[in-house]
Amino acid sequence: MNVCFVAVTSEYTFHKVKTQFTVKRTVKKTPPQRITACLVNAAFFGALGSSYLYGYSLSVVNAPSLFIKTFYNKTWQERYGEPIRADMVTTLWSITVSIFAIGGLLGALCVTLLMKVLGRKGTLLLNNSFAMISALLLALGEKAGSFEMLIIGRFIMGVDSGISLSALPMYLGEIAPRQVRGFIGQFNSILICLGVFTGQVLGLPELLGQEARWNFLFAFQALPALLQLCVLPFLPESPRFLLMERRDEAGAEKAFRDFLGKEDVSKELEEVHAESRAQNTMRMASITELLLNPAVRWQVVTVVVTMACYQLCGLNAIWYYTNGILRDSGFAENVIPYVVLSTGAVETLAAIVSGLVIERVGRRPLLLFGFTAMAFFFGLLTVFLNFQVSYLWMPYLSFICILGVIASFCSGPGGIPFVLTGELFEQSYRPAAFMIAGVVNWLSNFAVGLVFPFMQEALQTNAFLVFMVVCVLGAVYLHFILPETKNRTFLDISQSFAKINKVPLPDKEMENVLAVKPRSKQVEANGKVLHFEVESSF
């Protein structure tokens, strides 16, 4: 929180009237931002029923894949009186897995309309219905003898994830004070990793990874959704949404008080009003308006690049190779599932560490480190894979590189793109920006799943060099284009792109003065000297 006692000298002429006033700025040391229980609960339970389920859905299909294919064969034979062809099993399984991304794309396309009508919190609450419907279809498909129920259930879960990965980061970015916005935003990434790890643990043979229990793996999806439904209704809506889009100042004031844990939130309200005045409109921008507006051109490009690199950097390919490398390392087949747990544990630990240091280190250094380190480990992995037949100990080095790639990804690229999407845009552009980010995310996800098997067949172990190039290009772009957004207001971040966007830069000194509602302790009778203070968490 900055405390400024302002007193500036300047001259203005308006309708032949000359006014002189002086503003003198002194800044007190910023005290640490208090993190309230309300803020942490909103972040945790918001992510539990959203990003956690996305992560869980990514890993949960791995353990029961053989049992599901057996179920497909049994159902086909009961219906048509003959065994299913091998190519048909592969096709049905491919559809079951890949339709998740198609559902995610549909969810991303719908999210802007849902948030406009229902708000951020309302969209998250409605989204739980998709998770529970999906859980029922996936859990009961075997009993009903219908593999179509499994495919539809995966599609609906994809819709849920597409909505979650846009609505949740926007909610977290709008409820968090700027001093802890990165930390709160990383709940999204941490819960994704925790969901992946949970899917790996529950898929162990001793738990639910058995032929008689695999349907319970999918039934588990309903539990996080139910927990969110029980808690989130009692937590506040985004105060920025309430004030700027619903004109509900009383509701916004109460939400600010709950999230910040203090009674006087007049300065936070005034900062949101200042952003509203700077935008000159309260109407939400459309996708077309966002894409055609030169004032946000490079923000859009930056979001597209970071989201594309998030999916195209090769982490999905790493999961494809892990089991094979462990087999080549001499691990017994029944031991491999337990060793694979180390990848989920490293992923979760790296995401937690990133969340703890993001407000100290910043977004930009973590992204640059993450992509650069991934490129380094991909290069080493390519070398080790090419020589692993020649040396018995080489596969162990390959597995260490896999852990390095995973840790590097989760240290920055795994979560910060979602934080950045919320930070780079002001309120009126934010919903459209998240729709664009979601579409790029899910199209890239689908492209990796479609292209990688062919790329791997053509390039073999050298396929990782493609991902190394993607990581290097992403790091180079971010180094030259992305400014640091740590502890900066949304308005200030938007203005930092003014030069590269080639649009006029507002006079920041006067903007700070004119955007603040004076709370004068000393005002001369002739109005020449103003003495007021500015203090805001947002």
Side-chain angles (χ1 to χ4, degrees):
M1 291 177 284
N2 296 328
V3 180
C4 306
F5 295 94
V6 190
V8 194
T9 292
S10 188
E11 286 190 2
Y12 295 91
T13 303
F14 183 70
H15 294 301
K16 298 182 181 180
V17 177
K18 183 178 288 187
T19 304
Q20 295 184 353
F21 58 94
T22 304
V23 181
K24 179 181 177 183
R25 170 182 286 184
T26 59
V27 181
K28 293 184 179 179
K29 186 176 180 180
T30 302
Q33 173 63 45
R34 178 187 173 194
I35 301 178
T36 64
C38 179
L39 185 60
V40 172
N41 282 332
F44 177 77
F45 285 100
L48 183 66
S50 305
S51 55
Y52 176 84
L53 280 176
Y54 166 68
Y56 184 79
S57 298
L58 291 178
S59 64
V60 72
V61 293
N62 295 331
S65 59
L66 292 177
F67 306 136
I68 293 174
K69 290 175 183 177
T70 301
F71 162 65
Y72 286 172
N73 184 38
K74 178 183 176 183
T75 303
W76 188 279
Q77 191 159 4
E78 288 175 353
R79 286 186 187 180
Y80 305 108
E82 60 182 16
I84 190 172
R85 300 192 316 271
D87 61 329
M88 182 59 70
V89 172
T90 303
T91 300
L92 287 174
W93 176 245
S94 298
I95 292 172
T96 304
V97 174
S98 61
I99 204 168
F100 178 77
I102 298 174
L105 178 61
L106 179 62
L109 291 171
C110 296
V111 71
T112 298
L113 177 61
L114 290 174
M115 286 192 292
K116 181 179 179 181
V117 176
L118 302 174
R120 289 27 168 176
K121 189 180 81 169
T123 300
L124 292 174
L125 290 172
L126 174 68
N127 205 29
N128 289 306
S129 62
F130 293 115
M132 289 188 287
I133 291 171
S134 170
L136 284 172
L137 289 171
L138 290 166
L140 298 177
E142 183 189 28
K143 295 290 183 184
S146 171
F147 52 75
E148 293 88 352
M149 288 175 65
L150 269 66
I151 294 172
I152 295 171
R154 284 285 291 176
F155 174 77
I156 294 174
M157 196 62 221
V159 174
D160 174 276
S161 298
I163 294 171
S164 295
L165 292 186
S166 292
L168 177 68
M170 193 182 306
Y171 179 63
L172 298 183
E174 291 181 0
I175 68 174
R178 66 172 181 270
Q179 295 92 335
V180 294
R181 196 167 55 220
F183 168 70
I184 294 298
Q186 282 295 78
F187 271 79
N188 179 51
S189 173
I190 293 169
L191 268 292
I192 289 175
C193 297
L194 193 59
V196 170
F197 185 58
T198 304
Q200 292 173 338
V201 171
L202 292 181
L204 292 174
E206 289 79 5
L207 297 176
L208 302 180
Q210 301 179 16
E211 189 167 10
R213 301 178 184 173
W214 65 264
N215 49 355
F216 293 105
L217 279 170
F218 295 110
F220 177 81
Q221 290 178 177
L223 180 59
L226 285 171
L227 286 173
Q228 189 186 81
L229 274 176
C230 292
V231 177
L232 198 59
F234 302 100
L235 296 169
E237 173 62 278
S238 160
R240 302 181 73 88
F241 168 79
L242 291 173
L243 188 58
M244 297 184 73
E245 298 183 37
R246 290 285 170 86
R247 314 290 209 283
D248 182 3
E249 184 148 356
E253 184 175 357
K254 183 179 184 305
F256 272 131
R257 286 175 179 169
D258 291 338
F259 284 131
L260 299 179
K262 62 181 185 180
E263 286 300 314
D264 184 9
V265 294
S266 56
K267 300 173 183 69
E268 283 74 21
L269 291 170
E270 184 53 42
E271 183 176 313
V272 180
H273 280 305
E275 182 182 335
S276 171
R277 290 195 293 270
Q279 292 180 58
N280 296 320
T281 178
M282 298 293 284
R283 185 176 62 85
M284 294 298 103
S286 66
I287 297 288
T288 304
E289 290 170 333
L290 179 63
L291 294 175
L292 296 180
N293 189 340
V296 291
R297 180 183 297 120
W298 281 98
Q299 290 96 308
V300 172
V301 174
T302 300
V303 165
V304 170
V305 169
T306 52
M307 273 299 175
C309 289
Y310 169 77
Q311 288 290 352
L312 301 178
C313 66
L315 194 74
N316 291 337
I318 283 293
W319 299 121
Y320 179 85
Y321 257 88
T322 302
N323 285 4
I325 290 174
L326 290 174
R327 290 190 190 96
D328 294 337
S329 301
F331 288 97
E333 195 69 32
N334 61 340
V335 175
I336 287 177
Y338 303 95
V339 180
V340 170
L341 287 181
S342 64
T343 61
V346 167
E347 187 179 30
T348 305
L349 180 62
I352 292 172
V353 171
S354 175
L356 293 175
V357 303
I358 188 171
E359 297 301 347
R360 292 175 179 265
V361 178
R363 286 72 156 145
R364 187 172 178 271
L366 286 176
L367 277 174
L368 292 176
F369 167 78
F371 281 125
T372 304
M374 287 184 75
F376 172 75
F377 283 116
F378 274 133
L380 285 181
L381 181 59
T382 302
V383 173
F384 295 153
L385 287 175
N386 279 297
F387 285 98
Q388 83 174 15
V389 178
S390 305
Y391 302 95
L392 292 176
W393 44 267
M394 196 65 76
Y396 295 97
L397 294 181
S398 298
F399 184 66
I400 291 173
C401 286
I402 286 176
L403 295 180
V405 169
I406 292 170
S408 302
F409 175 80
C410 293
S411 67
I416 294 178
F418 298 98
V419 177
L420 278 181
T421 304
E423 290 185 328
L424 296 185
F425 297 91
E426 297 169 20
Q427 190 79 12
S428 61
Y429 295 112
R430 200 169 292 132
F434 267 100
M435 179 184 285
I436 291 174
V439 169
V440 172
N441 178 31
W442 290 102
L443 284 178
S444 300
N445 181 301
F446 185 74
V448 169
L450 188 66
V451 173
F452 178 72
F454 300 101
M455 188 173 72
Q456 189 269 333
E457 184 178 348
L459 301 177
Q460 299 297 319
T461 54
N462 294 321
F464 289 111
L465 293 176
V466 176
F467 301 124
M468 183 181 76
V469 171
V470 171
C471 292
V472 169
L473 292 177
V476 170
Y477 174 88
L478 294 171
H479 174 73
F480 287 105
I481 300 298
L482 181 67
E484 180 53 66
T485 60
K486 179 183 69 172
N487 200 20
R488 298 173 68 181
T489 66
F490 295 124
L491 194 58
D492 187 32
I493 294 168
S494 294
Q495 290 171 1
S496 67
F497 279 91
K499 184 176 180 181
I500 190 173
N501 284 326
K502 297 180 180 179
V503 295
L505 180 66
D507 184 344
K508 293 185 72 173
E509 281 292 322
M510 286 313 303
E511 185 178 281
N512 287 338
V513 173
L514 297 176
V516 179
K517 185 176 179 180
R519 291 172 178 82
S520 177
K521 292 183 179 178
Q522 269 186 335
V523 181
E524 288 189 8
N526 58 12
K528 289 185 179 179
V529 179
L530 302 179
H531 177 204
F532 54 89
E533 56 182 340
V534 183
E535 179 183 359
S536 173
S537 303
F538 284 74

